[in-house]
Amino acid sequence: MANKLSLITKGFIKENPTFVLVLGMCPTLATTTSALNGLEMGLATMFVLILSNIVISLIAPLTPDKVHIPVYIVVIATFVTVLQLLMQAYVPAVYRTLGLFIPLIVVNCIILGRAEAFANKHGVLESAFDGLGIGIGFTMSLTVIGIIREILGSGSVFGVNLWNGDGMLAFVMAPGAFMVLGYLMVLFNKIKK
């Protein structure tokens, strides 16, 4: 049981995809204009990560080495398509907000990286726990970045105004994303040591 727990918790700090492995920077920088957007993108990525890890761990022994990457991408693209259809049907507002970044989950290096580094070498349960841990770590990272950017950029968090007036526009735009990410990476690595 301790091994299973360590598979989950390693994605929080030791192998955090955003702050340690520095993967998935496109959705990290683009979708974290608010805490809610970061949370939603993280959950969408976690959905695809867990399911693709499970399927890839099942088919890895049957997949020839010469074609394993294209096969993994087809598996990931299938789950992204399922996610898109579910979001369009049940949460269209979220789908409209995240828009282009949902199909881009297919090429998110976190998912293909975990497939290549972990899921194709381990069993189904371990791969599911790995996907869960890395997914939670990614979701937490995006949410924290979104919280900071939303507070500094618009004076609210999860849409709730904290004070009257505007925030600093730079934090809602791309420069703010880079500044917050950079400072959080430094802070995260200081805490990790």
Side-chain angles (χ1 to χ4, degrees), residues 146-167:
I147 287 170
I148 294 170
R149 287 182 68 193
E150 187 176 1
I151 289 171
L152 296 175
S154 60
S156 62
V157 64
F158 286 103
V160 177
N161 283 336
L162 300 176
W163 61 78
N164 291 332
D166 296 329

Side-chain angles (χ1 to χ4, degrees), residues 74-107:
V74 168
V75 169
I76 295 165
T78 301
F79 287 117
V80 169
T81 303
V82 168
L83 175 68
Q84 274 187 283
L85 294 172
L86 288 171
M87 288 178 81
Q88 285 175 331
Y90 296 107
V91 283
V94 174
Y95 182 76
R96 280 190 303 275
T97 302
L98 297 178
L100 172 67
F101 294 99
I102 296 301
L104 287 176
I105 291 174
V106 173
V107 292

